[in-house]
């Protein structure tokens, strides 16, 4: 079932990739990439907002956006200068230029981000993404072959493309006779450039993966051969770099059989095309011969004509004229000449300065990708760079096309997502996965029947299988005990115990007394955990030789994950320092985010009859540890319940927090001055925490803690500066300051804000 679901995910990605790569027209006069972009933007906004924010915060991603913003800014300056000094402002041409450039930066970039976020969520690797792009190319290849073999299909597609795009190029009989096979937003040079890029993907993919992928090469080449000379040149560049890479890695002999087979099939394709439509092959041959024989009419005569290489005069050579002179969207009707050369159009548009900025942006991104990436991809980026520089002779590369999508995808992967993947994947060679080590998971349960099944499902389905699951029912009066017994019948690893209601601390201690595992973990009955949590925690302990490991909690945003997985090591005294400092910053002292070796927890028990029992317990356990490893990976899902101890009316029992803090002061008497100081600051914070709870959740009607509140206010004023200069969060420090100035007014303000939210 899981495999089928995963296949559906990949199939969706295949269709999605086909749409963003080729943008086949669907609605009249609306570019398909804009439709996909609108859908993608909404999905990212509603479902993956936190992931996108993390991506956009990355320094390399910021560099990408900043570099392109630099280029856009110069274009705006160029237009402004031309308007001021030459009184020229061709609005339509400016709009077309901004639109074509904007398609690359906004829709394409956004869609590529979605591809990675979606793939990460569904465990689809980068290699699989490249295969999916190749398969998308095969779909286009099938359409090309179909329209080539059946003329009515080609006629139908051309008519469809014309009706949906209003592009008059589809009425050109000369073009129709020799090309226009396929279904894409455009079937000319930009399409050919991108098709040449995609045709090279099997070459580079095969170098570090399966060589069988090269079988797709002749089919992808069919798109190129049937439609574009530019694509053939781009493919030739890729093939040349591929052979150099093979030679450098001494893999030529290894690849010789499959390459020979692919080349043979490609030759067969050329022969078949020549038999069925010699016009296409003659057009290609004549074009290439025109570069060597002046009498042969072809691209050389057109490309190197005087008009095609005409430059602006004077200062405009430097700053540009603010408009392009291409036949599509240019101002040729005003100037009397046109050019398809990308470099010439760029100089007319933004001048030598703008061309220099654009080339710098593109070359720097390629350089950055090679520098930050691994060596196995360096030849791919060299290919991209050469392809861009050569392709820009025949067309303006900085426009939307299939090749642009692929290049952006590779750059974003190398500058961001490759690092994320490498950091989140545990190096299994360094970890001796001894599954004989048993982990005892202790779950205290009290009236949790609403959430208990989700909690237990997340435990029994852990990727680490050697578990002892101890369920302690603490006198529940709902169906919790029955649910526990039902699960115990289905899973032999589950042990169920029931006791009179004595509190969570007592239930946990009961579990500790009977646990037989080599490692101990805790889960609360109304929460749930990621399926790999205990395997990951265990691997951290083994990997670093630690006594204890830690992962982070999710609250509210249950799909959030750290943008960079960082594993930090703490030893000896630094363990307690980190525990106290981290608690001060986050207010988190929970035991369920850790996995403990049995030795460090053996003789430690929770103080019974109290709440906030985690605080002194965890201090004593960590005091026994020599090495702690902490990861910022989120694995534990904490359910925010209005009826929980921390989010309900203030009651006398809440003063247990002060007792727990006093325990830390007593335990730290024989420790360093730094630990003693941190323990005292924790005690000061407890006064503030209790006042904050009263302010947020209020008192029950019959309770009167006026004297206690007076003492708490006195204490926070006395210890204000100690808390102000601690590592407590800035927002908490603002609240503290407000309480010190006027606690009564602050409480009213908090209640007013809460009512406003309701």
């Amino acid at each position: 079932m899981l495999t089928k679901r995963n296949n559906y995910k990949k199939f969706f990605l295949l269709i999605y990739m086909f749409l963003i790569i080729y943008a086949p027209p669907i609605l009249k006069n609306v570019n398909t990439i804009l439709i996909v972009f609108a859908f993608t933007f909404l999905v990212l906004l509603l479902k993956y907002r936190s992931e996108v924010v993390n991506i956009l915060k990355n320094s390399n991603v910021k560099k990408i956006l900043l570099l392109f913003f630099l280029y856009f800014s110069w274009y705006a300056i160029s237009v402004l200068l031309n308007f001021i000094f030459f009184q020229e402002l061709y609005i339509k041409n400016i709009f077309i230029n901004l639109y074509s450039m904007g398609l690359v930066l906004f829709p394409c970039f956004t869609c590529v981000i979605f591809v990675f976020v979606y793939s990460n969520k569904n465990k689809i690797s980068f290699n699989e993404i490249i295969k999916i792009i190749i398969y998308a190319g095969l779909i286009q290849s099938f359409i090309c072959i179909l329209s080539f073999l059946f003329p009515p299909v080609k006629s139908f597609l051309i008519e469809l493309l014309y009706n949906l795009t209003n592009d008059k190029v589809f009425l050109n009989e000369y073009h129709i006779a020799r090309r226009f096979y396929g279904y894409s937003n455009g079937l000319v040079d930009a399409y050919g450039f991108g098709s040449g890029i995609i045709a090279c993907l099997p070459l580079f993919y095969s170098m570090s993966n399966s060589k069988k992928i090269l079988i797709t090469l002749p089919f992808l080449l069919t798109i190129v051969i049937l439609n574009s000379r530019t694509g053939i040149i781009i493919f030739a560049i890729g093939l040349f770099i591929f052979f150099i890479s093979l030679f450098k890695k001494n893999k030529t002999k290894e690849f010789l059989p499959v390459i020979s087979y692919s080349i043979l099939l490609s030759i067969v394709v050329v022969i078949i095309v020549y038999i069925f439509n010699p016009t296409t092959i003659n057009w290609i041959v004549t074009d290439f011969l025109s570069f060597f024989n002046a009498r042969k009419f072809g691209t050389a005569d057109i490309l190197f004509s005087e008009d095609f290489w005409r430059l602006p005069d004077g200062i405009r050579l430097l700053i540009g004229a603010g408009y392009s002179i291409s036949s599509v969207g240019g101002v040729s009707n005003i100037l009397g000449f046109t050019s398809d050369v990308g470099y010439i159009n760029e100089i007319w548009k933004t001048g030598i300065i703008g061309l220099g900025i654009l080339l710098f942006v593109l070359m720097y991104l390629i350089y950055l990708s090679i520098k930050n990436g691994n060596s196995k991809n360096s030849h791919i980026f060299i290919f991209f760079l050469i392809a861009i520089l050569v392709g820009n002779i025949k067309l303006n590369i900085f426009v939307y096309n299939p090749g642009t999508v692929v290049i952006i995808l590779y750059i974003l992967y190398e500058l961001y997502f490759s690092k994320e993947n490498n950091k989140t994947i545990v190096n299994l060679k360094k970890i001796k996965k001894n599954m004989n080590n048993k982990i005892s998971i202790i779950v205290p349960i009290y009236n949790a029947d609403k959430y208990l099944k989700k909690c237990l499902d997340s435990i029994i389905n852990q990727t680490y299988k050697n578990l002892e699951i101890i369920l302690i029912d603490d006198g529940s009066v709902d169906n919790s005990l029955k649910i526990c017994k039902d699960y115990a019948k289905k899973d032999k690893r589950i042990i169920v115990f029931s006791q009179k209601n004595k509190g969570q601390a007592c239930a946990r201690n009961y579990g500790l007394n009977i646990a037989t595992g080599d490692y101990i973990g805790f889960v609360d009955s109304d929460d749930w955990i990621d399926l790999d949590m205990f395997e990951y925690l265990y691997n951290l302990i083994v990997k670093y030789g630690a006594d204890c490991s830690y992962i982070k909690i999710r609250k509210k945003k249950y799909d959030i994950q750290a943008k960079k997985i960082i594993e930090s090591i703490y030893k000896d005294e630094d363990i307690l320092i980190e525990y106290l400092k981290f608690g001060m910053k986050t207010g988190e002292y929970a035991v369920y985010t850790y996995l403990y070796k049995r030795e460090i927890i053996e003789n430690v028990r929770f103080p019974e009859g109290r709440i906030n029992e985690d605080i002194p317990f965890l201090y004593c356990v960590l005091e026994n540890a020599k090495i702690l490893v902490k990861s910022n990976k989120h694995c534990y899902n904490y359910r925010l319940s209005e009826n929980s101890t921390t989010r309900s009316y203030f009651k006398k029992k809440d003063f247990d927090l002060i007792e727990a803090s006093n325990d830390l002061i007593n335990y730290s008497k024989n420790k360093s001055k730094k630990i003693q100081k941190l323990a005292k600051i924790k005690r000061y914070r407890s006064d503030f925490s209790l006042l904050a709870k009263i302010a947020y959740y209020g008192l029950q009607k019959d309770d009167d803690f006026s004297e206690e509140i007076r003492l708490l206010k006195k204490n926070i004023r006395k210890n204000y500066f100690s808390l102000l200069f601690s590592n407590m969060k800035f927002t908490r420090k603002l609240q503290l300051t407000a309480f010190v100035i006027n606690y009564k007014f602050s409480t009213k303000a908090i209640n007013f804000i809460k009512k406003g939210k309701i």
Side-chain angles (χ1 to χ4, degrees):
M1 192 69 183
L2 186 63
T3 305
K4 283 185 179 179
R5 193 181 297 115
N6 200 34
N7 286 337
Y8 292 143
K9 303 284 187 184
K10 289 181 182 178
F11 180 74
F12 166 79
L13 193 59
L14 171 62
I15 301 303
Y16 184 86
M17 290 302 307
F18 180 79
L19 290 175
I20 67 170
I21 289 173
Y22 296 106
I26 298 171
L27 297 179
K28 190 174 179 65
N29 296 328
V30 179
N31 194 320
T32 299
I33 192 68
L34 294 177
I35 302 171
V36 180
F37 168 62
F39 162 78
T40 303
F41 184 80
L42 283 174
V43 173
L44 291 176
L45 185 66
L46 298 174
K47 193 174 181 180
Y48 300 122
R49 188 165 59 251
S50 58
E51 286 87 344
V52 174
V53 170
N54 285 336
I55 292 167
L56 295 178
K57 285 181 180 179
N58 179 265
S59 58
N60 282 332
V61 176
K62 285 180 181 177
K63 282 181 185 177
I64 296 173
L65 297 175
L66 184 64
L67 287 167
F68 281 117
F69 176 75
L70 177 67
Y71 174 72
F72 270 84
S73 299
W74 173 252
Y75 177 63
I77 292 169
S78 178
V79 170
L80 185 63
L81 290 174
N82 275 275
F83 177 70
I84 293 171
F85 295 110
F86 301 100
Q87 288 76 52
E88 287 186 355
L89 193 67
Y90 297 102
I91 300 296
K92 182 181 177 182
N93 186 258
I94 292 169
F95 174 78
I96 290 170
N97 286 331
L98 288 173
Y99 172 73
S100 62
M101 293 186 295
L103 281 181
V104 177
L105 189 58
F106 299 106
C108 285
F109 193 76
T110 302
C111 291
V112 167
I113 285 177
F114 172 78
V115 168
F116 283 118
V117 172
Y118 179 85
S119 299
N120 280 358
K121 285 287 179 184
N122 294 289
K123 312 297 182 187
I124 300 172
S125 68
F126 181 68
N127 280 338
E128 289 176 302
I129 294 173
I130 300 304
K131 281 178 72 175
I132 286 169
I133 294 173
I134 292 170
Y135 295 152
L138 290 178
I139 295 174
Q140 186 68 223
S141 170
F142 173 76
I143 296 171
C144 286
I145 293 169
L146 200 65
S147 62
F148 173 73
L149 294 176
F150 302 100
V153 175
K154 179 181 179 181
S155 299
F156 168 75
L157 287 174
I158 290 173
E159 186 178 352
L160 180 67
L161 289 166
Y162 174 68
N163 289 332
L164 292 175
T165 64
N166 285 327
D167 191 343
K168 292 181 180 179
V169 73
F170 293 115
L171 299 177
N172 189 304
E173 293 296 332
Y174 175 63
H175 280 306
I176 291 171
R178 60 199 176 121
R179 65 201 304 181
F180 291 173
Y181 299 95
Y183 183 41
S184 181
N185 187 62
L187 295 177
V188 285
D189 290 324
Y191 172 69
F193 170 80
S195 299
I197 294 283
I198 292 170
C200 290
L201 292 183
L203 297 173
F204 300 121
Y205 179 90
S206 67
M207 291 186 69
S208 54
N209 298 282
S210 172
K211 301 179 190 66
K212 292 179 182 178
I213 200 74
L214 290 171
I215 296 171
T216 64
L217 194 58
F219 300 98
L220 297 176
L221 269 177
T222 303
I223 308 173
V224 178
I225 293 166
L226 288 174
N227 289 285
S228 174
R229 303 144 299 174
T230 304
I232 293 172
I233 293 171
I234 297 303
F235 176 76
I237 293 168
L239 188 63
F240 179 71
I241 292 172
F242 170 70
F243 278 123
I244 290 176
S245 300
L246 285 184
F247 180 77
K248 287 178 70 176
K249 294 181 179 182
N250 295 318
K251 289 186 174 183
T252 309
K253 288 183 180 179
E254 181 185 335
F255 275 76
L256 193 58
V258 69
I259 290 173
S260 302
Y261 178 73
S262 298
I263 291 173
L264 184 63
L265 271 180
S266 301
I267 293 170
V268 170
V269 169
V270 173
I271 294 170
I272 292 172
V273 172
Y274 184 74
I275 292 170
F276 282 87
N277 190 355
T279 304
T280 297
I281 301 300
N282 289 334
W283 161 57
I284 294 169
V285 173
T286 303
D287 250 33
F288 283 119
L289 289 177
S290 69
F291 286 89
F292 306 100
N293 188 341
R295 289 176 296 178
K296 294 277 187 183
F297 173 76
T299 297
D301 300 280
I302 301 169
L303 190 61
F304 295 109
S305 66
E306 185 179 337
D307 282 349
F308 264 40
W309 291 84
R310 192 178 298 186
L311 294 168
D313 298 323
I315 189 67
R316 286 185 165 188
L317 181 63
L318 193 64
I319 67 168
Y323 50 77
S324 55
I325 59 167
S326 65
S327 55
V328 180
V331 290
S332 56
N333 58 325
I334 297 168
L335 297 177
F337 61 90
T338 184
S339 175
D340 285 345
V341 179
Y343 291 106
I344 298 301
N345 269 285
E346 195 56 51
I347 289 173
W348 275 94
K349 188 165 63 178
T350 60
I352 291 175
I353 293 176
L355 176 62
I357 292 172
L358 179 61
L359 291 177
F360 168 75
V361 169
L362 297 173
M363 293 174 74
Y364 182 72
L365 286 177
I366 297 294
Y367 160 76
L368 207 60
S369 301
I370 295 172
K371 180 183 176 184
N372 286 14
N374 51 62
S375 58
K376 73 175 183 179
N377 283 339
S378 60
H379 54 281
I380 299 174
F381 289 104
I382 291 169
F383 161 62
F384 288 155
L385 179 59
I386 298 173
I388 288 168
L389 295 176
V390 172
N392 209 54
I393 296 172
K394 189 64 178 70
L395 71 149
N396 195 332
I397 293 297
F398 190 42
V399 294
Y400 164 77
N401 65 72
T404 306
V405 176
V406 173
I407 292 170
I408 290 174
L409 185 131
Y410 262 97
I411 288 174
L412 193 59
Y413 171 75
E414 208 62 78
L415 294 184
Y416 180 79
F417 285 96
S418 67
K419 305 298 179 186
E420 297 306 299
N421 291 342
N422 288 338
K423 287 178 181 178
T424 55
I425 295 172
V426 180
N427 187 351
L428 296 179
K429 291 181 181 179
K430 293 183 179 179
I431 297 175
K432 299 176 181 178
K433 287 185 70 178
N434 183 359
M435 301 303 271
N436 292 323
N437 285 327
K438 186 194 293 182
I439 297 176
S440 294
I441 302 174
I442 299 169
V443 187
I445 301 161
Y446 178 71
N447 290 347
D449 60 356
K450 289 182 181 179
Y451 316 116
L452 187 55
K453 288 183 180 180
K454 185 169 185 176
C455 173
L456 296 180
D457 285 339
S458 71
I459 297 173
I460 65 175
N461 291 309
Q462 286 290 298
T463 54
Y464 194 99
K465 300 300 180 185
N466 193 6
L467 303 176
E468 177 185 56
I469 305 167
I470 303 172
L471 309 182
I472 314 294
D473 179 68
D474 188 36
S476 298
V477 294
D478 60 3
N479 290 320
S480 295
L481 182 58
K482 183 180 181 303
I483 293 170
C484 292
K485 289 179 178 179
D486 289 343
Y487 270 78
K489 290 176 184 177
K490 295 186 289 184
D491 195 320
K492 294 180 180 179
R493 299 173 299 173
I494 295 177
I495 308 168
V496 181
F497 294 92
S498 181
Q499 64 178 27
K500 292 181 180 180
N501 182 237
K502 298 179 182 179
Q504 184 170 251
C506 186
R508 283 173 172 171
N509 286 340
Y510 193 97
L512 285 171
N513 292 336
I514 62 173
T516 60
D518 305 289
Y519 297 86
I520 308 291
F522 297 93
V523 178
D524 278 2
S525 56
D526 50 354
D527 303 331
W528 72 99
I529 58 178
D530 288 2
L531 298 184
D532 65 341
M533 184 179 109
F534 279 107
E535 181 177 7
Y536 182 65
L537 283 168
Y538 172 78
N539 285 341
L540 286 175
I541 288 176
V542 177
K543 182 179 178 181
Y544 295 103
D547 302 297
C548 189
S549 57
Y550 164 93
I551 45 81
K552 289 193 77 173
I553 300 174
R554 293 188 189 96
K555 295 180 181 180
K556 291 185 180 180
K557 296 180 180 179
Y558 296 117
D559 60 346
I560 195 171
Q561 191 51 271
K563 63 178 181 178
K564 291 183 179 180
I565 303 300
I566 301 170
E567 296 165 1
S568 306
I569 308 299
Y570 301 91
K571 296 182 179 180
D572 303 323
E573 186 182 81
D574 289 338
I575 295 173
L576 290 178
I577 292 172
E578 167 60 18
Y579 167 65
L580 293 168
K581 289 177 72 175
F582 183 74
M584 272 298 297
K585 186 174 183 180
T586 63
E588 182 192 315
Y589 299 92
V591 297
Y592 41 66
T593 52
Y594 293 82
L595 181 65
Y596 315 87
K597 271 188 177 179
R598 186 180 185 85
E599 301 92 275
I600 66 169
I601 206 170
E602 190 92 58
N603 299 315
V604 184
R605 292 297 180 268
F606 292 91
E608 296 183 8
R610 288 162 45 180
I611 61 173
N612 294 298
E613 71 278 7
D614 292 23
I615 296 171
F617 173 85
L618 196 49
Y619 180 98
C620 294
V621 172
L622 294 178
E623 187 180 24
N624 293 334
K626 292 182 179 178
I627 299 176
L628 164 69
V629 54
K630 294 186 73 173
S631 171
N632 66 337
K633 184 178 179 182
H634 293 79
C635 294
Y636 191 97
N637 302 290
Y638 178 83
R639 190 184 301 276
L640 289 168
S641 171
E642 291 299 327
N643 298 321
S644 69
T645 305
T646 56
R647 295 167 65 84
S648 57
Y649 282 112
F650 185 90
K651 46 193 173 296
K652 189 175 182 180
K653 201 72 175 167
D654 287 306
F655 286 110
D656 286 351
L657 178 62
I658 291 177
E659 192 174 348
S661 300
N662 285 332
D663 285 342
L664 298 189
I665 292 174
N666 292 328
Y667 296 156
S668 64
K669 284 180 179 177
N670 297 324
K671 302 296 180 184
S672 68
K673 289 183 179 180
K674 189 169 186 178
I675 292 176
Q676 291 178 25
K677 182 181 178 181
L678 289 170
K680 286 179 182 178
I681 292 174
K682 164 58 185 164
R683 170 63 186 84
Y684 304 155
R685 182 194 167 105
S686 298
D687 295 322
F688 164 67
S689 298
L690 294 176
L691 283 172
K693 182 168 184 180
I694 294 169
Y696 275 91
Y697 301 107
L699 304 170
Q700 290 189 17
K701 289 181 180 179
D702 298 331
D703 288 339
D704 180 16
F705 295 114
S706 54
E707 180 59 24
E708 288 85 348
I709 292 172
R710 186 188 68 79
L711 289 173
L712 291 173
K713 289 193 290 185
K714 181 181 177 182
N715 286 342
I716 64 167
R717 290 192 187 100
K718 179 182 176 183
N719 301 308
Y720 173 69
F721 287 104
S722 295
L723 289 169
L724 190 66
F725 294 108
S726 72
N727 65 329
M728 192 165 63
K729 283 185 178 179
F730 178 71
T731 52
R732 292 293 187 188
K733 291 177 181 178
L734 288 178
Q735 290 178 11
L736 170 70
T737 304
F739 286 176
V740 168
I741 295 170
N742 193 316
Y743 178 69
K744 189 174 182 180
F745 177 79
S746 300
T747 302
K748 287 181 179 179
I750 289 169
N751 289 325
F752 177 78
I753 293 168
K754 284 178 70 179
K755 287 179 182 178
K757 287 181 179 179
I758 293 168

